[in-house]
Amino acid sequence: HVPYYKQRFLKEAIHPEDLNTIEDLRALPFLTREDVNAHLHDLVATKFDGKLHSNETGGSTGQPIRFFTEGSFWRNVLHLRGHLWYGLQEGEKTAWLWGALRDMPKWSWQRGWRAAISGKRYLNAFSMTEANMQNFAQMLVRWQPAVFRAYPSALHLFAGFLRERGIKGIRPR
């Protein structure tokens, strides 16, 4: 029921009934970022009757990937489930080293307050200057987040910054 896969399966002579084991999955065509961006609408099932919301990644690898979400209800449920898996309760302090501008709270005072009340602090992964990292580190030492949510490359850079300057005392769980 997904036009893109239907077309690719026909091209590769793959029939869904031929997929019976995990080994059979090796025959499936690899889905790339370019495939998704070029065929976004054809990756939606024809029988889907819900409302789709356009979204995209922050582009930290150099090229964002576009995708659809079904809405905030499921996003919130999945977010809460992820926190519970890690032993976090809703509202616990979370430090973000993030780059998706749509997720950054500083675009309006309302979003800034919402982030503060919900226990989130952000450092934009695309503006990790020495001054910004120093300010973020000083705030984190006082604030003591329960967890970091970060791009691995941004977290590596920030950890190196902390190590080089001998900054200690940030202890997420």
Side-chain angles (χ1 to χ4, degrees):
H1 300 284
V2 177
Y4 177 79
Y5 282 119
K6 184 176 182 177
Q7 178 250 340
R8 286 289 302 267
F9 282 22
L10 287 171
K11 181 179 175 184
E12 304 284 334
I14 298 171
H15 303 283
E17 60 271 7
D18 296 336
L19 302 172
N20 298 306
T21 68
I22 296 218
E23 281 298 313
D24 295 337
L25 295 177
R26 292 179 190 241
L28 295 177
F30 191 73
L31 184 67
T32 67
R33 176 185 316 263
E34 291 76 20
D35 292 334
V36 174
N37 283 338
H39 304 282
L40 182 61
H41 293 279
D42 288 334
L43 285 163
V44 177
T46 54
K47 293 192 173 199
F48 179 76
D49 64 353
K51 184 174 182 181
L52 293 174
H53 304 275
S54 182
N55 208 336
E56 65 181 34
T57 62
S60 63
T61 61
Q63 178 186 9
I65 188 168
R66 299 174 324 154
F67 57 94
F68 290 119
T69 60
E70 292 184 52
S72 62
F73 172 76
W74 286 111
R75 180 177 56 242
N76 291 337
V77 168
L78 293 173
H79 175 79
L80 179 59
R81 181 178 69 175
H83 272 196
L84 295 175
W85 281 348
Y86 291 105
L88 297 172
Q89 298 301 313
E90 191 62 27
E92 285 198 78
K93 298 174 183 177
T94 305
W96 293 62
L97 298 174
W98 211 243
L101 296 179
R102 70 179 181 286
D103 295 333
M104 302 301 282
K106 294 184 179 182
W107 300 115
S108 70
W109 67 269
Q110 294 99 336
R111 290 191 77 188
W113 275 102
R114 190 177 319 138
I117 291 168
S118 64
K120 297 175 184 162
R121 301 294 185 273
Y122 293 84
L123 175 59
N124 188 330
F126 293 121
S127 64
M128 292 180 67
T129 64
E130 291 205 16
N132 287 345
M133 287 192 286
Q134 182 69 38
N135 291 336
F136 195 64
Q138 289 171 345
M139 181 275 302
L140 292 176
V141 168
R142 290 188 310 273
W143 192 59
Q144 292 299 308
V147 68
F148 275 96
R149 184 166 179 187
Y151 296 119
S153 56
L155 187 57
H156 177 77
L157 179 67
F158 188 63
F161 174 85
L162 296 174
R163 187 174 42 257
E164 287 173 7
R165 281 155 187 77
I167 298 172
K168 297 180 181 180
I170 305 169
R171 292 180 174 47
R173 283 192 239 161

